[in-house]
């Protein structure tokens, strides 16, 4: 299958609009020029709306993980403790990062199960400079309770770090209302830009509690904030300039659609996928409760009985639709469909139709068209 005809329905990188792709083919400009500064500050203005924040925002060259690294490394020193909450792969990444910089109090839950907020509070009671969590745990398709943990962080005077990488712009994400001191996203998710930029918002409180000298040189938020306050606005080191072009274009696209409308569309599209799954007797993977919800940006489903990962995802790929498998211990057990950014109703319907086709081939489809029918109903098409 030609790559041009391939539909990427993974939870990032996501499909990039032609208009955004074209923006990257402009001639290079100096990253110390007024033109670059104007692009950077235009992006910051729009990103503040995207993040629902008045805090400062910096754009770093590197994938989302560099933003997580920068957040933890700028706050945590050798003698400091960070509480890290995990119920999937990316929460565990915060634990691994924390161990590089200081002491970690991990609060671990089984992958795909909700946080027990009492356990989180018990950890915070032991005394910590910061608490870090993932809002939308991409590995399991679960949206975690950032608002509730934010209240606990405030009560225990801990800096609140939230990975919003697969969330911001897709799920509701209220940086200021939820008391988030450092929020992170990556360009390749709901922003629908190619991979390579991490975007980080930083509160004044976080800045006041920065480590005097972060153990990371490149990912030191102090340096990034200092350059972003220069005129013209700059980055401390040479940025991926074409990705800034793309980010600016993509932010304008999102703002034309309306940030709230985009979130509502994403929610509808995820509901369409969940609805199709139910119609096809495919079980959703994560466990949800009053605080933890099915993700609107990635739907994780159990592998249907009688079908292997190879048959399901391999079969779909042969038809030009790429979906994700499970990570680590969930390999072969689940599969995941992303609904972020510039995803269309047609993309969702093609994905569900292809899924049905593969299930039929494996003799595991009870009623042909039921998934597409259910999804169309939600999408209103
Ligand atoms: N956190 C979450 C929630 C993610 O979904 C991802 C990537 O999928 C990451 C962190 C890591 O981001 P990156 O691969 O851009 O470094």
């Amino acid at each position: 299958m030609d790559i041009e005809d391939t539909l990427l329905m993974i939870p990032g990188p996501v499909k990039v609009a032609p208009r955004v792709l074209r923006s990257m083919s402009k001639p290079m400009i100096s990253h110390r020029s007024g033109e670059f500064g104007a692009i950077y500050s235009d992006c910051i203005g729009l990103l503040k709306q995207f993040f629902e924040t008045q805090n400062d925002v910096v754009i770093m060259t590197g994938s989302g993980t560099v933003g997580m690294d920068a957040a933890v490394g700028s706050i945590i020193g050798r003698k400091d403790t960070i509480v890290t909450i995990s119920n999937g792969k990316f929460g565990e990444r915060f634990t691994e990062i924390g161990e590089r910089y200081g002491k970690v109090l991990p609060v671990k839950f089984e992958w795909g199960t909700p946080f027990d907020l009492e356990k989180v509070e018990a950890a915070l009671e032991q005394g910590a400079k910061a608490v870090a969590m993932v809002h939308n745990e991409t590995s399991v398709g679960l949206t975690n309770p950032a608002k509730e943990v934010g209240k606990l962080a405030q009560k225990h005077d801990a800096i609140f770090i939230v990975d919003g990488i697969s969330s911001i712009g897709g799920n509701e994400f209220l940086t200021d209302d939820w008391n988030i001191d450092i929020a992170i996203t990556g360009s390749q998710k709901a922003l629908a830009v190619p991979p390579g930029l991490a975007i980080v918002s930083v509160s004044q409180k976080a800045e006041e509690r920065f480590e005097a000298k972060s153990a990371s040189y490149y990912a030191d938020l102090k340096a990034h904030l200092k350059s972003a306050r220069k005129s013209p606005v700059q980055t401390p080191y040479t940025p991926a300039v074409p990705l800034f072009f793309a980010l600016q274009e993509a932010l304008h696209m999102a703002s034309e659609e309306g940030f709230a409308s985009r979130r509502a569309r994403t929610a509808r599209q995820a509901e369409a996928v969940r609805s199709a799954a139910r119609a096809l007797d495919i079980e959703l993977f994560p466990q949800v409760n009053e605080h933890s919800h099915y993700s609107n940006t990635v739907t994780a489903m159990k592998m249907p009985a009688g079908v292997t990962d190879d048959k399901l995802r391999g079969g779909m790929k042969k038809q030009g639709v790429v979906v994700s498998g499970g990570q680590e211990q969930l390999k072969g057990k689940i599969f995941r469909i992303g609904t972020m950014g510039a995803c269309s109703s047609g993309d969702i319907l093609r994905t569900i139709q292809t899924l049905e086709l593969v299930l039929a081939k494996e003799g595991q489809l009870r009623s042909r068209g039921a998934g597409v029918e259910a999804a169309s109903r939600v999408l209103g098409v």
Side-chain angles (χ1 to χ4, degrees):
M1 177 72 62
D2 188 329
I3 196 162
E4 300 272 343
D5 297 325
T6 299
L7 176 61
L8 199 56
M9 292 297 287
I10 65 174
V14 301
K15 183 176 88 172
V16 178
R19 155 179 174 191
V20 174
L21 286 174
R22 279 195 300 273
S23 74
M24 291 192 295
S25 61
K26 282 189 285 212
M28 247 350 76
I29 55 172
S30 160
H31 60 292
R32 305 284 175 222
S33 65
E35 290 128 286
F36 181 80
I39 293 170
Y40 195 161
S41 53
D42 187 32
C43 288
I44 288 175
L46 290 163
L47 284 165
K48 285 187 178 186
Q49 294 176 39
F50 210 66
F51 276 61
E52 305 263 358
T53 190
Q54 308 277 337
N55 291 339
D56 282 322
V57 171
V58 295
I59 306 169
M60 305 170 73
T61 292
S63 74
T65 304
V66 86
M68 298 169 77
D69 197 28
V72 177
S74 299
I75 294 287
I76 299 297
R78 281 272 152 255
K79 295 191 179 127
D80 298 319
T81 300
I82 183 167
V83 169
T84 57
I85 317 168
S86 66
N87 56 359
K89 183 179 174 68
F90 298 106
E92 289 183 2
R93 185 166 297 177
F94 263 139
T95 306
E96 289 165 14
I97 295 172
E99 283 163 353
R100 299 285 178 108
Y101 292 103
K103 294 181 223 159
V104 179
L105 256 176
V107 185
K108 287 180 76 158
F109 301 103
E110 203 180 310
W111 283 32
T113 65
F115 293 175
D116 175 342
L117 293 166
E118 283 179 12
K119 287 195 176 143
V120 173
E121 175 142 41
L124 281 166
E125 272 162 4
Q126 293 181 53
K129 186 174 178 187
V131 53
M133 65 169 277
V134 176
H135 183 230
N136 188 77
E137 185 44 87
T138 322
S139 58
V140 295
L142 185 62
T143 301
N144 290 315
K147 182 180 174 183
E148 287 72 13
V149 177
K151 284 186 191 149
L152 296 177
Q154 194 161 38
K155 182 171 162 197
H156 295 276
D157 195 29
I159 296 295
F160 187 30
I161 300 172
V162 182
D163 167 346
I165 292 175
S166 64
S167 194
I168 300 177
N171 291 307
E172 180 180 61
F173 191 97
L174 306 177
T175 304
D176 293 351
D177 284 3
W178 296 348
N179 185 42
I180 300 172
D181 292 297
I182 306 186
I184 307 138
T185 194
S187 54
Q188 79 277 26
K189 306 281 186 181
L191 285 163
V193 169
L197 295 177
I199 299 139
V200 184
S201 76
V202 185
S203 72
Q204 200 184 335
K205 178 170 149 198
E207 212 177 330
E208 283 161 7
R209 299 202 194 163
F210 273 170
E211 260 294 281
K213 198 168 184 179
S214 167
S216 170
Y217 186 89
Y218 188 87
D220 183 354
L221 284 176
K222 218 185 282 167
H224 290 266
L225 282 165
K226 189 174 168 200
S227 295
R229 285 175 185 147
K230 285 184 181 161
S231 179
V233 182
Q234 292 180 31
T235 53
Y237 322 113
T238 313
V241 175
L243 291 176
F244 277 72
F245 295 155
L247 178 63
Q248 186 185 31
E249 192 66 29
L251 280 164
H252 280 274
M253 251 186 98
S255 138
E256 284 156 22
E257 181 179 0
F259 294 123
S261 313
R262 176 172 286 210
R263 274 198 305 275
R265 170 173 61 75
T266 305
R268 198 163 51 246
Q269 291 175 330
E271 181 50 39
V273 174
R274 290 194 292 269
S275 198
R278 288 185 194 108
L280 296 171
D281 277 337
I282 298 175
E283 213 181 317
L284 299 172
F285 174 71
Q287 289 172 31
V288 293
N289 66 13
E290 75 275 25
H291 296 308
S292 305
H293 311 285
Y294 291 121
S295 165
N296 283 338
T297 56
V298 51
T299 301
M301 290 155 279
K302 291 189 182 167
M303 195 59 71
V307 188
T308 62
D309 181 65
D310 199 34
K311 294 273 188 223
L312 187 130
R313 290 194 310 120
M316 289 183 77
K317 193 169 179 200
K318 270 196 206 135
Q319 301 303 321
V321 179
V322 181
V323 300
S324 283
Q327 294 169 292
E328 315 270 339
Q329 68 265 33
L330 293 177
K331 263 198 183 100
K333 301 205 168 99
I334 66 167
F335 69 105
R336 295 171 299 147
I337 294 178
T339 43
M340 294 178 216
C343 182
S344 69
S345 296
D347 294 340
I348 307 275
L349 295 178
R350 180 175 163 197
T351 305
I352 302 301
Q353 193 173 31
T354 309
L355 175 62
E356 285 194 13
L357 197 87
V358 169
L359 291 176
K361 225 170 161 187
E362 297 307 309
Q364 299 297 335
L365 186 67
R366 285 220 211 121
S367 95
R368 189 176 279 266
V372 171
E373 165 75 34
S376 321
R377 222 175 299 121
V378 176
L379 294 168
V381 292

